[in-house]
Structure formats: structure tokens, C-alpha cells
Amino acid sequence: MHSRRSKSLSTGQAAREVALGALGFLAADPERIGPFLAESGLSPADLRGIAGSTPFHVALLDFLINRQDLLIAYAGEAGIDPGHVVAAREILAHDGTKGD
């Protein structure tokens, strides 16, 4: 069986999985999710309704990418290269321009 990581960012679905993992990472710690919610203007209740949207995933990954400490921590916890987060963001941004 081939490793999923070898093709981890070859599709929009894999990129969404990176974003959802990042959401879980942020949500696991109030000190990580709080600044994201404050910056985005979202409430915890809002997350339920938009957690699956491509623009939300792009914004979430932008937040991580702009905070290198969080990016490195998430990548380490997820067992991925930080560059995969950047690649996921680019894939999702491109997918979003096609109407998802």
C-alpha cells in the first residue's frame, strides 16, 4: 500500500484535509483559536456553519502561514512538512476560483 503522504496535496480533497486538521489543531487550544476568531470576526458557533467552505479553509491556512510558530507546531503535530500547508492553501485558493 502506498503512503497517502506521497500524494498528500495532489487533490483539493487532500488540501481540505490539511485545512480541517489545522482547524482541529487551533480549536484544541483556546490560546490558538482565540486570535483566529478575533482576527476573522467569527464566533465558535459560526465555525459549525462554515467549516467546510473553501474560502474559510484558505483564510484558516493564511492565518497559520502568517504565524510561523503556529505553522511549525501544526506541521510537527500533523507529521507534515510546513510547505504542505502552503501548498494546500494554494490548491484551495485555486479551487475556490473555480467555484469549488
Side-chain angles (χ1 to χ4, degrees):
M1 177 176 227
H2 295 288
S3 168
R4 281 183 40 173
R5 295 208 193 279
S6 65
K7 292 186 173 184
S8 64
L9 296 177
S10 61
T11 67
Q13 179 59 37
R16 282 187 285 279
E17 288 175 13
V18 170
L20 289 173
L23 176 58
F25 169 77
L26 291 177
D29 183 340
E31 291 187 18
R32 293 191 296 232
I33 194 71
F36 173 71
L37 293 174
E39 185 175 300
S40 67
L42 298 169
S43 73
D46 294 331
L47 295 180
R48 289 183 208 97
I50 64 167
S53 79
T54 298
F56 172 74
H57 292 165
V58 172
L60 180 70
L61 295 178
D62 280 342
F63 178 80
L64 275 183
I65 291 164
N66 288 322
R67 284 151 187 83
Q68 190 171 16
D69 59 328
L70 290 176
L71 173 62
I72 299 299
Y74 168 61
E77 187 175 292
I80 61 175
D81 185 281
H84 287 151
V85 177
V86 176
R89 188 255 179 234
E90 293 304 312
I91 289 167
L92 291 170
H94 179 70
D95 283 355
T97 64
K98 296 187 296 188
D100 203 22

